[in-house]
Amino acid sequence: MGNFNTELLLKHLTNLKNNPIKEEQTKAFYDNLKKKYFTKLDKIKNSSFSERELIAKEFFKELQKFKEDYKTFKENIYEHYNTNKIELVWYYNEILNILHPLSENRSTDKLYIEINNLYKDLFVKYYYNNLGNRIYEVSPISVYYITLNDTEWQIEIGKDIEFELAEDPDKYIEITREEAETFEEFFMQDLNIWYTSSIRQAVTYATFYYHGMKRKISGKPYISHALETLLITSSLTSEESVLITSVLHGLIKNTRTDIIEVKKYFGLDVAKRLLYLTQMEDNLNNDKECSEAKKNILYKLDNASIGIKIIILSNELSKLRETDRDFQIYKDSIWQHFSETDKKKHRWYHEEVLRRLYELRVSRAYEEYQKLIYIHLTNIFN
């Protein structure tokens, strides 16, 4: 969230559709902010770097206390703090802005990130809007958004998400902060594929069903894997039904949706591919039958269409990228998180998949997959 100055704050609040501040009230509102907070903020602005670090630690404790107090008082908490929600959120946001230089120093950057994340978890909500390809960051004092191919968050004066939700509850999907960060990273890439309404619908569908789910080891939002698989697939084909299937590839196995609903929304071709992919991984989570389940994947891969093979390559490459990243942190303990703990069997499986994807050998995705097996992950699989 950027520096939402007082002038923009007042302009935003007077343009809200739900309970706006009247323009004649803005001077009194501003004077009250000035009286209560400006002296405190000036003191922080004039502090040295080391003093700001101490202020940040105290501010972190204050936010943690607010979090605990909120469990008891809920929205009545602001009365106990002798303020109102807009004032307090504005004040805390101004402190964050002043403390921002801490994020640029290696000794204090983690502290600032912790404070920033706690502030957002307390006061900020995130929404995904599929029609406009936007993620919204909404607090009591501001609304920011990021759109496909944007490089930074933009401010939207007077945007009233709560009012719009009351008018049309299906317009937005509420997502977590981590999911918003995943979309932010994804949006900043060159994604021409997003301009088809069917693919946007598939991403919306996956976002809804994967909401709150996390990857087993990294703890990243589960949607990150679906989006990365889609992105890799887009480098291999422009066929829309294959792209849609790629972002939905794990839904039947991992969520409460079913193939009938998928067929209803995305058509027979997508449903057939998704069913084939789901059947490939039958019993994969059954520890006693893990090796046999892998053999079933390989057997079905032998007879798979090129579209299925593209999705398998994209899916396995995404998972192997994740394993490579996680290994840098967890080293050999990473294998405790897998049903199959034998490293050699992992190498065997990936080599067999690679061999069956030979017709895709001219692609960069195939080359990267091969490299991860034989170079980057040699220390893992040997």
Side-chain angles (χ1 to χ4, degrees):
M1 186 177 293
N3 185 3
F4 201 85
N5 63 40
T6 312
E7 182 182 348
L8 289 176
L9 169 66
L10 296 177
K11 188 175 180 182
H12 175 68
L13 295 176
T14 55
N15 281 276
L16 291 174
K17 293 182 179 179
N18 186 33
N19 297 323
I21 294 178
K22 296 180 180 178
E23 291 199 18
E24 58 266 27
Q25 296 175 309
T26 57
K27 185 179 185 303
F29 182 83
Y30 174 79
D31 288 343
N32 185 53
L33 289 180
K34 186 176 181 180
K35 179 181 178 181
K36 292 178 69 173
Y37 301 111
F38 277 30
T39 301
K40 296 178 183 178
L41 293 172
D42 285 339
K43 185 176 180 180
I44 301 174
K45 288 177 183 177
N46 295 324
S47 63
S48 65
F49 186 87
S50 58
E51 288 172 333
R52 287 192 188 186
E53 183 177 0
L54 294 174
I55 292 169
K57 290 177 180 179
E58 290 302 314
F59 182 44
F60 189 42
K61 290 178 183 178
E62 185 175 339
L63 289 177
Q64 289 175 316
K65 183 179 185 301
F66 181 94
K67 183 178 180 180
E68 288 303 310
D69 290 344
Y70 189 85
K71 294 176 183 178
T72 302
F73 300 109
K74 304 301 180 184
E75 287 299 304
N76 294 323
I77 191 173
Y78 301 100
E79 295 177 11
H80 293 272
Y81 277 65
N82 193 31
T83 185
N84 62 61
K85 191 171 187 176
I86 291 175
E87 284 185 2
L88 187 65
V89 174
W90 175 84
Y91 174 55
Y92 283 167
N93 185 59
E94 287 297 304
I95 294 176
L96 268 178
N97 289 328
I98 298 170
L99 295 178
H100 188 266
L102 298 179
S103 68
E104 300 168 355
N105 187 289
R106 293 181 64 180
S107 65
T108 55
D109 59 342
K110 290 182 180 179
L111 172 62
Y112 182 85
I113 290 171
E114 281 188 305
I115 296 171
N116 191 46
N117 287 345
L118 180 54
Y119 167 86
K120 289 184 175 181
D121 290 340
L122 288 171
F123 304 115
V124 179
K125 292 184 178 180
Y126 295 89
Y127 298 91
Y128 172 65
N129 173 257
N130 69 306
L131 296 177
N133 278 334
R134 285 186 174 182
I135 300 297
Y136 286 95
E137 180 183 88
V138 182
S139 83
I141 63 168
S142 63
V143 175
Y144 284 82
Y145 69 87
I146 187 167
T147 307
L148 174 71
N149 293 332
D150 277 350
T151 56
E152 59 184 20
W153 293 81
Q154 309 290 326
I155 193 170
E156 186 159 354
I157 298 295
K159 182 74 173 179
D160 199 336
I161 298 289
E162 289 187 1
F163 179 85
E164 293 184 35
L165 278 170
E167 295 287 310
D168 183 3
D170 296 327
K171 190 172 183 179
Y172 301 94
I173 299 174
E174 186 172 356
I175 58 177
T176 66
R177 171 176 54 80
E178 292 89 349
E179 288 167 343
E181 290 169 354
T182 296
F183 271 102
E184 177 182 6
E185 180 181 346
F186 196 63
F187 277 179
M188 289 183 180
Q189 303 183 55
D190 185 15
L191 301 173
N192 293 326
I193 55 170
W194 276 67
Y195 291 112
T196 71
S197 59
S198 296
I199 292 173
R200 290 202 303 269
Q201 183 185 4
V203 171
T204 302
Y205 193 79
T207 301
F208 175 80
Y209 277 106
Y210 282 139
H211 174 63
M213 293 177 62
K214 295 181 181 294
R215 301 294 290 168
K216 184 187 294 186
I217 303 174
S218 67
K220 291 179 64 176
Y222 203 95
I223 191 66
S224 63
H225 170 63
L227 294 176
E228 185 174 46
T229 302
L230 170 62
L231 182 59
I232 297 169
T233 302
S234 72
S235 72
L236 296 163
T237 182
S238 59
E239 187 177 343
E240 188 177 68
S241 63
V242 176
L243 293 168
I244 291 171
T245 309
S246 72
V247 78
L248 303 178
H249 72 272
L251 275 179
I252 304 300
K253 177 186 171 187
N254 297 305
T255 73
R256 66 183 184 275
T257 190
D258 57 50
I259 203 69
I260 296 174
E261 189 172 280
V262 169
K263 180 183 176 183
K264 174 183 175 181
Y265 288 115
F266 302 103
L268 184 60
D269 285 347
V270 171
K272 282 182 176 179
R273 286 195 179 97
L274 194 54
L275 183 61
Y276 193 91
L277 289 165
T278 303
Q279 290 172 342
M280 287 179 75
E281 295 192 345
D282 281 350
N283 299 318
L284 192 56
N285 290 331
N286 187 327
D287 292 358
K288 295 181 180 178
E289 301 180 14
C290 186
S291 295
E292 290 303 312
K294 293 287 188 181
K295 289 179 182 178
N296 182 57
I297 292 175
L298 297 172
Y299 171 75
K300 289 187 175 294
L301 191 53
D302 279 329
N303 303 293
S305 66
I306 187 63
I308 293 292
K309 289 183 176 181
I310 285 173
I311 296 169
I312 290 295
L313 173 56
S314 302
N315 179 37
E316 295 295 350
L317 174 55
S318 174
K319 291 193 292 186
L320 212 49
R321 282 177 179 175
E322 187 174 25
T323 299
D324 187 44
R325 291 190 295 266
D326 292 338
F327 185 80
Q328 309 309 315
I329 300 171
Y330 298 104
K331 306 301 180 184
D332 274 322
S333 66
I334 191 174
W335 303 109
Q336 299 172 11
H337 300 276
F338 287 87
S339 298
E340 178 57 74
T341 58
D342 189 335
K343 303 173 189 179
K344 292 182 180 179
K345 288 184 179 180
H346 283 275
R347 178 170 183 169
W348 163 81
Y349 169 71
H350 285 292
E351 286 178 338
E352 289 299 313
V353 171
L354 189 70
R355 186 168 65 81
R356 287 163 172 80
L357 299 176
Y358 186 71
E359 59 193 292
L360 299 172
R361 64 191 180 280
V362 297
S363 67
R364 291 184 179 179
Y366 182 95
E367 291 176 358
E368 183 184 354
Y369 185 44
Q370 184 180 49
K371 184 179 290 186
L372 283 171
I373 295 170
Y374 292 112
I375 300 178
H376 294 314
L377 300 183
T378 299
N379 60 333
I380 296 178
F381 292 111
N382 282 343

